[in-house]
């Protein structure tokens, strides 16, 4: 069993995905309003999750760059939908974090609504990857995000992050518990990825899964 239980990947798929994600990746823009979104002319995948779950680290790990997506020392500071271009073939989208943001309730509501508007109306969005800290598993605050994704009818996959912080048998326990928790959710992809941006755990398989999901070719 691989750390990303989304099926099996051939050596060719793993290598092709590695080459794709090694190509130039650049920051495109941050959008504070739905009208500012770039034209939907490329396939997109989006990353969502609680504040401080490791979204920036995962995006950077996937493309092999340290500073493409910038992590903040103040969780909840990402209040825009941030777009990154991967060699003109694919966009990676960083959605506003949720959870214990250090902001007023009205401000939090504003940038979370922006994320929901993006989910509902983006025709080129192929999948959302919902990041969950493997040390904690799904929490009550994640339920709202799961509900929003189901309501938007957007395919999403749960990705456990920071898996290097716990033991292998603990990773498997939280993976199975998470899979059971989402098993009856209509838009959930029936597999849970286990990753560590710091150690590279699960990233080759996740790249292959993204390439398979989007249909992007070299």
């Amino acid at each position: 069993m691989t750390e990303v239980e989304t099926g099996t990947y051939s050596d060719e798929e793993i290598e092709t995905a590695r080459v794709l994600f090694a190509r130039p990746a650049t920051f495109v823009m941050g959008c504070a309003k739905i009208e500012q979104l770039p034209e939907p002319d490329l396939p997109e995948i989006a990353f969502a999750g609680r504040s401080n779950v490791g979204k920036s680290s995962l995006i950077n790990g996937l493309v092999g760059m340290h500073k493409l997506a910038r992590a903040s020392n103040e969780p909840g500071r990402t209040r825009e939908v941030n777009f990154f271009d991967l060699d003109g073939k694919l966009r990676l989208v960083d959605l506003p974090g949720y959870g214990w943001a250090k902001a007023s309730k009205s401000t939090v509501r504003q940038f979370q609504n922006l994320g929901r508007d993006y989910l509902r109306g983006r025709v080129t969005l192929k999948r959302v990857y919902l990041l969950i800290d493997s040390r904690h598993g799904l929490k009550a605050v994640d339920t709202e995000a799961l509900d929003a994704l189901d309501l938007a009818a957007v395919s999403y996959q749960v990705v456990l992050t920071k898996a290097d912080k716990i033991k292998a048998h603990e990773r498997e326990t939280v993976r199975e518990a998470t899979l059971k928790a989402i098993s009856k959710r209509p838009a959930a992809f029936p597999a849970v990825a286990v990753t560590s941006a710091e150690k590279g755990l699960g990233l080759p398989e996740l790249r292959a899964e993204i390439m398979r999901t989007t249909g992007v070719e070299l």
Side-chain angles (χ1 to χ4, degrees):
M1 182 185 298
T2 64
E3 288 290 356
V4 182
E5 194 182 75
T6 55
T8 57
Y9 306 94
S10 66
D11 291 343
E12 182 180 0
E13 280 185 292
I14 293 289
E15 176 60 15
T16 302
R18 184 196 67 77
V19 172
L20 172 66
F21 278 85
R23 291 190 169 187
T26 57
F27 174 71
V28 178
M29 63 190 303
C31 302
K33 297 180 180 179
I34 198 72
E35 306 84 53
Q36 299 173 338
L37 299 181
E39 289 297 316
D41 52 4
L42 285 176
E44 294 174 352
I45 57 164
F47 298 88
R50 292 197 304 267
S51 300
N52 206 31
V53 75
K55 283 195 286 102
S56 297
S57 296
L58 184 67
I59 292 171
N60 290 338
L62 286 170
V63 299
M65 298 173 65
H66 293 300
K67 296 181 179 180
L68 179 65
R70 298 192 176 183
S72 170
N73 291 326
E74 183 182 331
R77 210 172 154 193
T78 303
R79 299 174 193 178
E80 297 180 330
V81 177
N82 292 310
F83 290 82
F84 305 92
D85 177 273
L86 183 60
D87 197 35
K89 294 180 176 293
L90 175 67
R91 285 200 192 102
L92 313 180
V93 185
D94 186 2
L95 296 176
Y98 59 87
W100 44 286
K102 292 182 179 178
S104 68
K105 289 184 178 180
S106 61
T107 301
V108 171
R109 192 177 305 114
Q110 179 180 345
F111 65 76
Q112 290 183 353
N113 285 342
L114 173 62
R116 290 190 184 93
D117 288 342
Y118 167 80
L119 293 175
R120 282 195 291 263
R122 200 64 175 173
V123 295
T124 50
L125 178 61
K126 301 301 183 182
R127 181 173 291 169
V128 175
Y129 291 90
L130 179 64
L131 277 52
I132 302 294
D133 191 322
S134 62
R135 297 171 296 180
H136 309 304
L138 287 169
K139 292 197 166 202
V141 69
D142 298 310
T143 302
E144 187 176 349
L146 292 167
D147 290 344
L149 289 164
D150 285 331
L151 185 63
V154 174
S155 171
Y156 64 92
Q157 181 177 356
V158 173
V159 177
L160 298 175
T161 62
K162 307 182 183 183
D164 59 300
K165 307 298 183 184
I166 59 176
K167 296 178 180 179
H169 70 90
E170 294 172 325
R171 293 200 292 264
E172 182 60 17
T173 297
V174 70
R175 188 194 64 80
E176 289 180 354
T178 305
L179 187 59
K180 182 178 180 180
I182 64 170
S183 62
K184 294 184 179 180
R185 287 189 169 270
F189 187 65
V192 173
V194 181
T195 67
S196 164
E198 184 175 333
K199 301 296 184 182
L201 176 71
L203 297 190
E205 294 85 357
L206 185 55
R207 291 187 193 104
E209 179 61 31
I210 291 170
M211 197 165 183
R212 184 185 285 183
T213 298
T214 59
V216 171
E217 298 180 352
L218 292 178

